[in-house]
Amino acid sequence: MHNLYIPDMRIFFLFLVLQEFFQPVSTKQLIEKANNETLKIRLNTPFFKFFSKNGHHVVDEEIPKITIPEIRLPFSTSIGHGVVKTDDLKIEKFNSPKIDFNLSNTGIAWWTSGGAIKLTGKWHAKFTELITVRDKGWLNAYATGIQMNISASAYQLDGQPQIRIGECTVTIQKLDVEIGGSVLSWLVNLFETPFSKLVKQVINSQACTAARGILIDEANRFLHSLPSHVDIGANFYVDYFLTENPHATNQFTEFDLAADIVYGNSSCLPVKSGNWTDASSSPGMVTSWISVSIPNCLIESAHQNQLVRFLVSKDIAVAEPYLRTSCGFLGLCIGKFFKKLRTEYPNNHVDMYFHTYNTPFFVMSEKDGVMLNMSLAVDLFINPYAKTKQNILARLVVDTFSDVEPYLNHTKIHGHLLNSTITARVDFSNIGDVPGAFLRAFSSVLSMTARQAVKSVLGVGIPIPSYDNVTLADSSHVEVFDQYLRTNIDFEYK
């Protein structure tokens, strides 16, 4: 019976620890990351009010999953002794409690009231006088007016979250136990009253014992064993590391973390961007401060793993005429600008292979917004690239400077490309001088592909953890400051 209140505790853990915010990183980076917080999460009072109001959805989902352990009662009389125990005890009906909370500088306190539960199961009893007799039947237990008061605080251990239980009490205003199905009514009369009292005692005494002992031990072991990489899709991963113990006030609970987003097994050292501003006058449920280091780690690993790349070949119909090495007097093709292409590779095509030239990076400014600086190498090969990629003809470099508007979409922060300044230059050429006329003539092809490369980088996004059926409200928004973003997040239950 002592597992009865695990769902209330699960809600508590959900409120107190957004576990996707707290995934650890590999221990070899602990020292570096401990001093480089790049993410701050503040859970404001409206956040706790929302989950207190909607917590019954979580309870209703979790309650049916509980396995109720056996309750066993030895009993004795002047004529003999016996034992009764439950079997297949399960929850048939549950009425969600009202959940309230209180924040303080020592942590958070939760209390529930008005909860009710119906348990059904079977019982088996045996009694020995001169001989042993056995009996069995059904059992219904109704507990109403369930009240639970619990306080807790969070701390970090090796960069991972841990939970400490403070005060805990449970009170049941009313408990009724019905026992039936017996053919030996005199036997039921021997244990019915003490057995009903035992059910209530187990709930009252064991719920908090389990919370402080077994439940917390298991929860902390689980939190301490979380994986070092959190998969967010497309082989991108998030690393999180608590840099210090959470900070609590009567208005919010706050967490400082070192965080990065990387591709595969890439690594990136987070860099602290300076002091965060305080939250706005309307902070919403959750306020987060996100260093420019986080998206820069993302695009750095994308560059290291050559993820931003495009091949423009004759298979693209709109580009095919421009990629010919031979064309008529009035035609416009790449061969018209390079004699070596016309003479050594007549009636062929050139492939343009676009990839990042060096590490792209974001710059964030409260005055100018967000800018992405990215340079693309454009390598020229005779078609088909797959067979000729060892023999590069020339390399151009397309420098892009793009204004980006960050926005929230579902559970990610994305970037909308506003405009780009794009210039092309020559890195080297094995087919003669590259005339300016060629760069001007092919500017549309270069610009169109460069913009597509920028959009591919912006499309990855920074994830925002959420719970099933809980989505971002329209009131959520992103603000830009010098070298970091500040998000004000509100949730709604769908």
Side-chain angles (χ1 to χ4, degrees):
M1 203 70 174
H2 58 274
N3 287 338
L4 182 59
Y5 285 88
I6 286 180
D8 288 323
M9 293 302 300
R10 284 178 180 166
I11 297 173
F12 172 76
F13 296 144
L14 173 64
F15 298 156
L16 188 60
V17 184
L18 297 180
Q19 67 184 50
E20 289 167 271
F21 281 133
F22 303 141
Q23 308 289 351
V25 297
S26 57
T27 54
K28 67 181 180 180
Q29 298 177 359
L30 297 186
I31 296 177
E32 294 92 339
K33 296 207 171 189
N35 297 317
N36 289 288
E37 57 268 22
T38 57
L39 177 65
K40 180 164 73 171
I41 307 296
R42 179 178 292 181
L43 309 182
N44 300 303
T45 300
F47 170 84
F48 296 97
K49 287 182 177 179
F50 172 80
F51 279 101
S52 291
K53 179 181 178 181
N54 293 278
H56 64 91
H57 295 294
V58 182
V59 174
D60 292 343
E61 180 180 339
E62 296 294 337
I63 281 286
K65 303 176 183 178
I66 298 174
T67 299
I68 307 298
E70 175 188 280
I71 298 177
R72 181 184 180 91
L73 174 69
F75 60 94
S76 60
T77 69
S78 59
I79 61 173
H81 60 88
V83 63
V84 59
K85 59 182 181 180
T86 60
D87 181 36
D88 194 27
L89 195 59
K90 59 186 178 182
I91 297 168
E92 183 176 281
K93 186 177 181 181
F94 179 76
N95 292 330
S96 300
K98 178 183 178 183
I99 304 172
D100 293 299
F101 73 96
N102 182 56
L103 296 175
S104 71
N105 57 8
T106 59
I108 186 167
W110 251 282
W111 58 93
T112 67
S113 60
I117 193 167
K118 178 184 178 181
L119 306 177
T120 62
K122 301 173 183 178
W123 60 266
H124 297 266
K126 67 177 181 178
F127 183 77
T128 302
E129 187 180 357
L130 296 177
I131 61 172
T132 298
V133 294
R134 302 177 186 274
D135 200 4
K136 60 183 179 180
W138 50 263
L139 166 71
N140 292 328
Y142 304 87
T144 58
I146 301 172
Q147 297 178 340
M148 186 173 187
N149 299 276
I150 190 167
S151 65
S153 59
Y155 64 99
Q156 68 88 20
L157 176 65
D158 298 330
Q160 297 142 296
Q162 299 286 277
I163 300 167
R164 181 185 296 112
I165 294 293
E167 297 181 358
C168 180
T169 61
V170 176
T171 302
I172 299 175
Q173 294 180 350
K174 186 179 180 181
L175 176 68
D176 295 319
V177 178
E178 295 179 350
I179 297 175
S182 171
V183 296
L184 301 174
S185 58
W186 62 268
L187 178 57
V188 175
N189 291 336
L190 294 178
F191 65 78
E192 183 172 13
T193 299
F195 189 61
S196 298
K197 290 181 179 179
L198 176 62
V199 172
K200 187 172 184 178
Q201 290 172 0
V202 167
I203 295 175
N204 280 321
S205 65
Q206 296 300 315
C208 289
T209 299
R212 288 196 182 97
I214 299 173
L215 186 57
I216 285 297
D217 289 343
E218 290 181 355
N220 283 337
R221 279 196 297 269
F222 167 74
L223 292 171
H224 201 267
S225 65
L226 290 171
S228 58
H229 268 348
V230 182
D231 190 352
I232 60 174
N235 204 29
F236 280 94
Y237 292 82
V238 179
D239 295 330
Y240 289 107
F241 177 82
L242 277 169
T243 58
E244 58 183 75
N245 289 334
H247 173 60
T249 73
N250 61 359
Q251 297 294 321
F252 58 80
T253 298
E254 190 173 87
F255 307 87
D256 293 299
L257 307 97
D260 58 46
I261 300 177
V262 294
Y263 182 82
N265 293 320
S266 302
S267 62
C268 182
L269 179 63
V271 179
K272 186 176 181 179
S273 60
N275 296 323
W276 317 111
T277 61
D278 201 0
S280 64
S281 57
S282 302
M285 296 180 186
V286 178
T287 303
S288 65
W289 291 259
I290 304 170
S291 168
V292 68
S293 174
I294 294 178
N296 278 343
C297 280
L298 185 156
I299 57 176
E300 178 183 338
S301 64
H303 167 69
Q304 292 173 345
N305 290 275
Q306 300 180 345
L307 301 184
V308 183
R309 53 185 179 178
F310 299 90
L311 183 65
V312 178
S313 70
K314 67 177 183 178
D315 296 331
I316 301 175
V318 68
E320 186 275 333
Y322 299 97
L323 300 178
R324 295 173 183 174
T325 58
S326 304
C327 56
F329 178 75
L330 297 178
L332 177 63
C333 67
I334 192 171
K336 181 161 290 189
F337 299 94
F338 298 96
K339 180 180 179 180
K340 189 171 183 177
L341 292 180
R342 297 193 302 269
T343 57
E344 295 186 16
Y345 307 100
N347 301 314
N348 212 320
H349 288 81
V350 169
D351 286 351
M352 291 184 168
Y353 178 63
F354 289 73
H355 58 95
T356 48
Y357 180 67
N358 48 27
T359 302
F361 62 94
F362 286 96
V363 176
M364 297 178 180
S365 166
E366 185 173 359
K367 178 182 178 181
D368 300 322
V370 178
M371 176 170 284
L372 172 60
N373 299 313
M374 183 166 67
S375 295
L376 295 168
V378 186
D379 297 339
L380 307 184
F381 301 88
I382 292 297
N383 177 270
Y385 163 75
K387 292 183 178 180
T388 65
K389 58 184 177 182
Q390 301 301 322
N391 300 310
I392 186 170
L393 303 174
R395 172 173 288 172
L396 312 176
V397 177
V398 178
D399 297 312
T400 68
F401 306 91
S402 304
D403 293 320
V404 178
E405 179 183 24
Y407 68 98
L408 295 167
N409 183 27
H410 300 297
T411 59
K412 284 189 176 182
I413 302 174
H414 289 283
H416 173 65
L417 178 60
L418 297 177
N419 55 72
S420 296
T421 300
I422 299 174
T423 58
R425 54 189 170 91
V426 180
D427 193 21
F428 63 84
S429 173
N430 296 319
I431 53 175
D433 293 338
V434 179
F438 164 74
L439 297 178
R440 290 189 294 271
F442 276 72
S443 62
S444 60
V445 174
L446 299 176
S447 296
M448 178 180 63
T449 309
R451 285 179 63 86
Q452 185 60 39
V454 171
K455 289 180 179 180
S456 70
V457 170
L458 298 177
V460 176
I462 300 174
I464 299 173
S466 185
Y467 191 76
D468 292 344
N469 299 321
V470 176
T471 61
L472 300 187
D474 292 338
S475 55
S476 304
H477 62 280
V478 184
E479 299 171 283
V480 182
F481 294 87
D482 292 341
Q483 299 301 76
Y484 68 91
L485 302 176
R486 186 178 71 193
T487 67
N488 291 309
I489 304 295
D490 288 317
F491 296 102
E492 58 185 7
Y493 189 85
K494 292 292 188 180

